[in-house]
Amino acid sequence: MSSLTPLSQLLEAVFFAASRPLTVEELGALDPDASGADVRTAIDQLREHYDFDGHAVEVVELAGGWQVLTRASFAAAVERSQAAQRQPRLSAATLESLATIAYRQPVGRAEIEEIRGVNSGGVLRTLQERGLIEVVGRSEGLGRPLLYGTTPLFLELLGLNDLADLPRAEELTIALQPHQVAPDATDDGAYASVEEG
Amino acid sequence: MSSLTPLSQLLEAVFFAASRPLTVEELGALDPDASGADVRTAIDQLREHYDFDGHAVEVVELAGGWQVLTRASFAAAVERSQAAQRQPRLSAATLESLATIAYRQPVGRAEIEEIRGVNSGGVLRTLQERGLIEVVGRSEGLGRPLLYGTTPLFLELLGLNDLADLPRAEELTIALQPHQVAPDATDDGAYASVEEG
Amino acid sequence: METLQVAVEVEPAVDRAFVVDLDGFTGPLDLLLHLVREEQIDIANIQVSRIADQFLRAIHSLGLNQAADYLEMAGRLIRLKAQTLLPRRFDDDTWEDPRAELVRRLLEYQQVKEIAVRLGRMAERRALRYARGFLPPPAAAPPPLPIVLDLADMLIAVERVISGIPDPVLHRVVARPLDVESATARIVLLLADRDEFDWREALGNHPTLVDVLSTLLAILELAKRGSIRVLQDIPFGNLVIAREFADPAVATA
């Protein structure tokens, strides 16, 4: 493998100085002569170099940008070294609220509570403080309640590039349309089509 | 240059994730079979690899330990990328708070939050640090909260001579009236109209 | 689908707090799913009344704070139970089996749980990869921060703020039409004349429902004050209002 090109070197330096994904625009601003295509080519070169030489880090596309991360196979080593803190696990309540917001956004607190059947004020505040959700507007409904949506940090935390990478409804065991219509009223008690988990 | 050895890979992962220099003892703990001499050899291999392939990072001996840092020659690029990440434009939330203060001044934090429906503490601090707003007094109300107003810099940045030059509420699509009340006057007098905050 | 198993153990209220196996437990729907499963009830034959009773029993053991989160679900279940118990006409085409809503909600929630489990796994996988730990200290900021602020942006912000202001909520307060004072006055007037009389005489001519209610309240109030006695011979019989003599001596006189 040959040496790195000047632009891949620049990118490597900046990736090593950042702990969040950087967009192609941000990376392009490093060199006024570099086009978006140049940046993409340099990213590919860096990635191939890391793969080819067996580096413990890799270039990952994440939350709409690019970031260098350690490979998953070195997780145990990093943990053993105690040189870095592992991300705390998200609680079930947090994940359920996040799931509801991610799929229904923009969505109000009442709808989240309706789906989870439990008061969600505390969870929403925590999610907002952690920067995983944000207020994206207000509903037109009574009292004009706040509407929530997920942030890029949410994608980062899940290792997703885009909201479209979330598991799709068809992949789920129970296929359910959002805001499903009432089942046929004439067909009393016949919920045969319902799949039990 | 050949691929990295398993131990230099381990070191690379840990150097990347660590936030401080790591000692040879700490690094040796990663692999129970590795002696101090093995660790030193692996560090040298990693350093040579970075040098030979023209990586933008290098292995540096520092504060009694070892650390991977970006090379000094890339300092300017790193600074440029950090500067690019610094938002020179005000965020939507900041602008909204600023707008509220401009039209309602002197105004307290509680009133700003009531109008915007979100916590404004951080935004107010930012605006104060940037010299766009200042404390202009204290309210007579409970707890005597601080009252904010805009600064001359605010006018300067907008190219205005005086606060009176701000577009007047009537010129805006929706009239901005403090505490608008809209009881229906044509209603039967038997009904008392009660305004709810 | 082992991922959706909910391990909930509702233990007796040893420790006034709601004791559940917290692994994966987050809310009333979890509890409901658990009850549905524990009963081994086919989801097509959910006996809402049994589930509702168990749910209520479970939340009885909660402290007030925890129970508050469950009240909405409890209320919903009670309503469902009432709906299933109510008789209905055969020709009522609009009737929808109230269990349908429960099934819908449980399914929807199961879906959310499944997604949550998947998101949790994704987060776990992501947590195996570490981001750069050491970050160079930020370069010193150039002294005068170039703030970009223009009037157009700010006016757009003003519009946003204004459009976000909720309309004031106006409550129409209806004057209470019950007139207990007049009804009381009528009764007192009648008592000045006679020792006892039929309560309907206090209603006045052509009484409305409101007059009846006002009179009843007036009677209750006067009885409470000890000014009158209310007599009734038989259940559902007529009410007779009698003057209450404050002084027993007067009464026997």
Side-chain angles (χ1 to χ4, degrees):
Chain A
M1 188 82 192
S2 64
S3 291
L4 293 166
T5 62
L7 189 53
S8 337
Q9 285 182 322
L10 265 189
L11 298 189
E12 184 178 52
V14 173
F15 280 137
F16 267 69
S19 67
R20 61 170 188 85
L22 300 169
T23 63
V24 170
E25 291 72 45
E26 285 173 313
L27 296 170
L30 292 172
D31 180 352
D33 298 332
S35 67
D38 293 339
V39 171
R40 278 169 212 281
T41 307
I43 290 172
D44 281 343
Q45 279 171 346
L46 190 62
R47 181 160 52 177
E48 279 163 27
H49 185 97
Y50 284 161
D51 290 347
F52 189 86
D53 277 0
H55 281 275
V57 293
E58 60 184 333
V59 185
V60 178
E61 190 168 13
L62 200 64
W66 297 85
Q67 187 172 12
V68 171
L69 297 174
T70 59
R71 293 182 200 270
S73 51
F74 293 95
V78 175
E79 272 156 43
R80 220 174 320 130
S81 76
Q82 296 185 321
Q85 287 269 304
R86 197 194 163 93
Q87 280 280 354
R89 270 166 158 256
L90 297 170
S91 72
T94 306
L95 281 168
E96 286 175 18
S97 297
L98 271 178
T100 307
I101 296 165
Y103 281 80
R104 293 275 178 101
Q105 58 186 306
V107 61
R109 175 171 157 180
E111 200 182 336
I112 299 164
E113 294 183 345
E114 167 98 18
I115 290 168
R116 295 191 52 239
V118 69
N119 189 308
S120 294
V123 172
L124 290 182
R125 205 164 37 246
T126 309
L127 287 173
Q128 246 184 312
E129 279 163 9
R130 290 186 64 176
L132 296 174
I133 65 167
E134 63 190 350
V135 172
V136 294
R138 274 181 188 276
S139 156
E140 290 303 314
L142 190 68
R144 302 188 37 78
L146 298 174
L147 296 176
Y148 298 90
T150 54
T151 62
L153 188 62
F154 164 77
L155 295 174
E156 242 184 281
L157 191 80
L158 294 189
L160 297 175
N161 190 35
D162 194 280
L163 280 177
D165 297 337
L166 282 170
R168 287 188 308 178
E170 308 90 87
E171 300 167 15
L172 299 172
T173 322
I174 302 163
L176 194 73
Q177 317 289 315
H179 306 290
Q180 203 196 29
V181 278
D184 192 349
T186 58
D187 136 19
D188 282 2
Y191 305 114
S193 59
V194 166
E195 220 183 301
E196 229 278 84
Chain B
M1 188 77 190
S2 63
S3 292
L4 293 165
T5 62
L7 188 54
S8 16
Q9 285 182 319
L10 273 189
L11 298 190
E12 183 178 51
V14 174
F15 279 139
F16 182 83
S19 57
R20 58 181 173 80
L22 299 168
T23 63
V24 171
E25 290 70 43
E26 284 176 304
L27 295 169
L30 291 174
D31 181 353
D33 298 333
S35 67
D38 292 340
V39 171
R40 279 170 211 282
T41 307
I43 290 174
D44 281 343
Q45 279 172 343
L46 190 62
R47 183 160 51 178
E48 278 163 29
H49 185 99
Y50 284 162
D51 291 348
F52 189 87
D53 276 359
H55 280 278
V57 293
E58 58 184 337
V59 185
V60 177
E61 189 166 12
L62 201 68
W66 296 85
Q67 192 168 18
V68 169
L69 298 175
T70 51
R71 292 182 199 272
S73 52
F74 293 95
V78 168
E79 274 179 30
R80 226 176 315 135
S81 81
Q82 284 175 342
Q85 290 163 34
R86 217 177 278 130
Q87 270 283 14
R89 275 187 174 262
L90 297 172
S91 72
T94 311
L95 269 175
E96 287 173 19
S97 295
L98 188 57
T100 306
I101 295 165
Y103 280 86
R104 287 277 184 101
Q105 58 187 301
V107 60
R109 175 171 157 179
E111 197 183 340
I112 299 165
E113 292 182 348
E114 190 185 319
I115 291 167
R116 295 194 49 243
V118 287
N119 190 306
S120 293
V123 168
L124 290 182
R125 207 161 39 245
T126 307
L127 286 171
Q128 252 184 309
E129 278 166 8
R130 298 201 141 194
L132 293 171
I133 64 166
E134 62 192 349
V135 173
V136 293
R138 272 182 186 279
S139 156
E140 288 304 311
L142 191 67
R144 302 189 36 80
L146 298 174
L147 295 176
Y148 298 90
T150 53
T151 61
L153 177 65
F154 166 78
L155 293 176
E156 202 180 298
L157 284 167
L158 287 184
L160 298 177
N161 195 28
D162 193 281
L163 277 178
D165 297 338
L166 276 173
R168 288 188 307 174
E170 309 89 87
E171 297 166 14
L172 299 168
T173 330
I174 309 162
L176 180 74
Q177 285 167 8
H179 306 290
Q180 46 182 278
V181 187
D184 194 343
T186 61
D187 252 8
D188 188 336
Y191 300 117
S193 278
V194 176
E195 195 203 339
E196 230 264 274
Chain C
M1 202 178 11
E2 93 293 344
T3 57
L4 294 184
Q5 288 299 328
V6 187
V8 185
E9 270 170 38
V10 183
E11 290 178 3
V14 185
D15 197 341
R16 75 193 156 46
F18 190 25
V19 186
V20 290
D21 177 347
L22 285 171
D23 182 31
F25 180 87
T26 59
L29 283 164
D30 268 336
L31 181 53
L32 210 52
L33 279 171
H34 170 72
L35 293 175
V36 168
R37 286 215 177 85
E38 196 174 59
E39 281 288 300
Q40 295 294 307
I41 294 172
D42 186 332
I43 209 162
N45 286 314
I46 291 175
Q47 295 193 19
V48 173
S49 63
R50 217 151 84 191
I51 301 283
D53 292 341
Q54 287 184 39
F55 190 90
L56 291 177
R57 223 175 298 133
I59 70 165
H60 262 302
S61 59
L62 300 184
L64 193 59
N65 281 336
Q66 286 110 334
D69 283 351
Y70 297 73
L71 288 182
E72 194 197 304
M73 178 54 65
R76 208 180 284 268
L77 280 174
I78 292 167
R79 186 168 57 81
L80 285 179
K81 177 178 170 180
Q83 281 172 339
T84 51
L85 293 177
L86 282 176
R88 62 172 173 127
R89 285 164 50 179
F90 287 111
D91 56 353
D92 187 354
D93 288 338
T94 60
W95 190 84
E96 188 196 342
D97 189 330
R99 291 174 306 175
E101 189 201 335
L102 191 61
V103 170
R104 238 181 353 253
R105 285 173 58 83
L106 287 177
L107 282 177
E108 190 172 48
Y109 182 64
Q110 285 222 9
Q111 192 192 37
V112 167
K113 283 190 79 68
E114 185 180 347
I115 293 169
V117 167
R118 284 178 179 229
L119 297 188
R121 289 209 197 109
M122 294 166 97
E124 292 281 296
R125 276 201 300 275
R126 167 63 187 83
L128 293 176
R129 296 184 294 180
Y130 285 82
R132 174 66 167 163
F134 173 79
L135 295 177
L145 268 180
I147 303 167
V148 181
L149 177 63
D150 70 42
L151 198 54
D153 282 353
M154 213 199 52
L155 291 181
I156 292 167
V158 170
E159 297 278 347
R160 272 201 311 271
V161 172
I162 293 168
S163 68
I165 297 174
D167 292 333
V169 180
L170 297 180
H171 292 292
R172 176 165 293 176
V173 178
V174 182
R176 190 169 62 178
L178 290 184
D179 187 1
V180 181
E181 284 76 20
S182 305
T184 308
R186 281 199 301 276
I187 294 168
V188 170
L189 205 64
L190 286 166
L191 282 176
D193 241 11
R194 284 175 282 166
D195 283 347
E196 60 176 60
F197 57 90
D198 188 321
W199 79 287
R200 282 172 297 195
E201 291 181 50
L203 289 177
N205 299 325
H206 312 294
T208 62
L209 179 62
V210 168
D211 293 332
V212 175
L213 288 174
S214 304
T215 305
L216 272 175
L217 286 175
I219 292 170
L220 290 172
E221 179 60 26
L222 286 169
K224 192 180 127 209
R225 278 193 228 153
S227 308
I228 60 169
R229 264 179 306 149
V230 184
L231 311 169
Q232 191 176 32
D233 290 343
I234 49 165
F236 304 109
N238 197 29
L239 288 180
V240 173
I241 295 169
R243 185 186 300 151
E244 180 74 270
F245 297 99
D247 183 352
V250 180
T252 52

